[in-house]
Amino acid sequence: MTSPNPFSLSGKTALIAGASRGIGLAIAQGTARAGARTILASRSLSALADAARNLRGEGWQAEALELDIASRDSRERAVEALPPVDILINVAGINLRKRFENYTPAEYQRILDTNLTGVFELTQAVGRGMVERGTGGKIVNIGSLMSVSGLPYVTVYAMTKSALAGMTRSLAAEWGRYDIQVNCIAPGFIITDLNREMWQAEELKAWLKGVQAMPRTGTPEEIASVAVFLSSPGANFITGQVIAADGGASTTAVWPFEPAG
């Protein structure tokens, strides 16, 4: 007799909010390949449809759903169209690097609507179904290194990602009685289309070698593997955690010193 695979998502339905590219797309590919019926959701429906088609071509279950997480109307339409969801992974988010004193009220509100209000209301709607069905569930929020640390020129983004870490801990405490595990991943410096050009700078590459144990940037797939694990039965006793997948950026540094012997 073979033991059940504790990391399989077979028989589960996963909603990936913000799945059109980067970390979100890698997570959607990971959950589908782990056996979940995966719903890829974002504003970019054509990109989602291509990604879902490719996954189906590999033999996995995948479908696309239009969702603008910053729009209440769009969120409500998406929730109405959803089947019962066992796994919710909140990836959608935006950033704007500016001096703190130069953010406009509109920029501030746009970041909050996307990174915090939208995630809150989507989690509320999907999580309500998990609670009512009484069969448990998994919620994985994608935070940031800014959930646990600080860098300049990203203050509003950092505010939202810190709040997401707080929501994770409190919601884990509230919904643990329903066998719903809630966790947050804090990615470090991950190369995506949104920051690829910035990380071409040689001074940034040199700086990175001194501020974390692993002298390189990460990949979306390295975040996806953590998300798939946290979505699996293998993580049933893990909840309320903010897990840094950051090459040691939040815990280590490397100084320019080598011992003589």
Side-chain angles (χ1 to χ4, degrees), residues 24-248:
L25 176 58
I27 290 173
Q29 291 168 337
T31 58
R33 290 166 181 159
R37 173 189 177 186
T38 296
I39 301 168
L40 296 84
S42 86
R43 292 179 301 172
S44 308
L45 195 56
S46 60
L48 293 177
D50 289 342
R53 188 180 307 111
N54 290 338
L55 285 166
R56 290 195 300 271
E58 296 176 15
W60 309 111
Q61 300 178 77
E63 56 205 82
L65 176 69
E66 186 172 9
L67 169 65
D68 178 356
I69 200 161
S71 162
R72 180 167 288 123
D73 288 345
S74 178
R75 290 193 300 269
E76 290 175 351
R77 287 193 301 271
V79 168
E80 286 230 353
L82 286 171
V85 171
D86 305 293
I87 300 161
L88 169 63
I89 304 182
N90 289 307
V91 190
I94 58 172
N95 191 8
L96 179 61
R97 299 175 183 87
K98 292 186 73 169
R99 297 182 184 277
F100 178 76
E101 63 271 24
N102 292 340
Y103 282 102
T104 67
E107 290 166 343
Y108 171 85
Q109 195 60 53
R110 178 169 167 258
I111 296 171
L112 260 67
D113 286 346
T114 303
N115 295 8
L116 196 56
T117 304
V119 171
F120 167 79
E121 292 190 1
L122 181 64
T123 303
Q124 191 177 50
V126 174
R128 183 181 291 116
M130 293 180 183
V131 170
E132 290 172 352
R133 288 193 303 277
T135 55
K138 307 280 189 184
I139 298 171
V140 180
N141 297 314
I142 302 301
S144 165
L145 190 57
M146 298 303 96
S147 299
V148 297
S149 185
L151 282 172
Y153 313 129
V154 291
T155 303
V156 181
Y157 173 81
M159 290 164 59
T160 63
K161 293 301 185 177
S162 297
L164 200 57
M167 187 183 90
T168 295
R169 290 186 287 265
S170 189
L171 195 54
E174 186 170 339
W175 282 356
R177 71 194 70 184
Y178 304 114
D179 195 27
I180 298 170
Q181 291 81 52
V182 187
N183 291 290
C184 178
I185 303 172
F189 301 109
I190 308 299
I191 297 297
T192 69
D193 291 342
L194 298 179
N195 64 13
R196 193 179 312 277
E197 183 176 350
M198 182 183 80
W199 278 100
Q200 297 302 311
E202 291 302 322
E203 59 265 37
L204 266 182
K205 295 177 185 177
W207 169 81
L208 188 68
K209 293 177 181 178
V211 299
Q212 65 184 44
M214 299 180 67
R216 64 172 178 85
T217 52
T219 68
E221 290 74 21
E222 288 171 317
I223 305 305
S225 60
V226 182
V228 172
F229 165 65
L230 291 173
S231 302
S232 75
N236 280 352
F237 204 55
I238 300 173
T239 197
Q241 302 301 311
V242 179
I243 298 172
D246 64 359

